[in-house]
Amino acid sequence: MSRYLGSGSYGEVICETLRNGLPVAKKQFHCEDDFLTCDFIREFICISSLNHPNIVSMLDFHIPTCETKVRLRKEEKAYFRMPKANGSLAKYMEDGKHISPSMFINWVSDLLAGLSYIHTCGIVHRDIKPHNILVKN
């Protein structure tokens, strides 16, 4: 069973539960052309090479082939899966939850540590916003 979590310009994110019971977020890409598939592959390679406690880890991915699409007679989507977070900063704010000064300082510190790490890897995020800042607890 899956549950819709949100969407963006490249696709949508749904929540699934793996056979082992692990809840995951599945980011599905709209791949109408080869350009988006290349963006997906570039994003997957970029994220899968990172190893930092403040950056989401990648579990697996799927890229449909033309042969697969014909055989299944349906439009498959490229996707990758990652452990599901408890929510985003945007959701936290929408729910009107109070953020204590110490919690805010911890979150900003964690965010800056993650950004500093990816910058040392030569990566620029380009889409920092509350919806893309995931929270564990």
Side-chain angles (χ1 to χ4, degrees), residues 83-94:
K84 184 186 175 301
N86 290 338
S88 67
L89 179 57
K91 177 72 172 138
Y92 203 89
M93 293 164 53
E94 289 166 7

Side-chain angles (χ1 to χ4, degrees), residues 11-91:
E12 63 187 11
V13 180
I14 60 172
C15 177
E16 292 183 334
T17 303
L18 299 181
R19 289 184 193 137
N20 64 5
L22 177 70
V24 297
K26 179 178 179 182
K27 186 172 183 178
Q28 299 181 137
F29 285 73
H30 303 301
C31 294
E32 279 98 37
D33 57 35
D34 291 338
F35 178 73
L36 280 176
T37 302
C38 289
D39 281 350
F40 165 79
I41 293 168
R42 188 173 23 258
E43 182 170 348
F44 175 79
I45 290 169
C46 177
I47 293 173
S48 65
S49 68
L50 302 174
N51 183 16
H52 190 274
N54 297 326
I55 297 176
V56 68
S57 59
M58 204 59 53
L59 299 174
D60 66 355
F61 73 100
H62 170 73
I63 301 172
T65 64
C66 291
E67 183 180 301
T68 304
K69 289 179 183 181
V70 170
R71 189 174 67 244
L72 296 176
R73 289 189 163 65
K74 68 178 184 177
E75 187 63 34
E76 279 192 285
K77 295 180 180 178
Y79 69 82
F80 57 75
R81 292 188 288 199
M82 58 197 115
K84 184 186 175 301
N86 290 338
S88 67
L89 179 57
K91 177 72 172 138

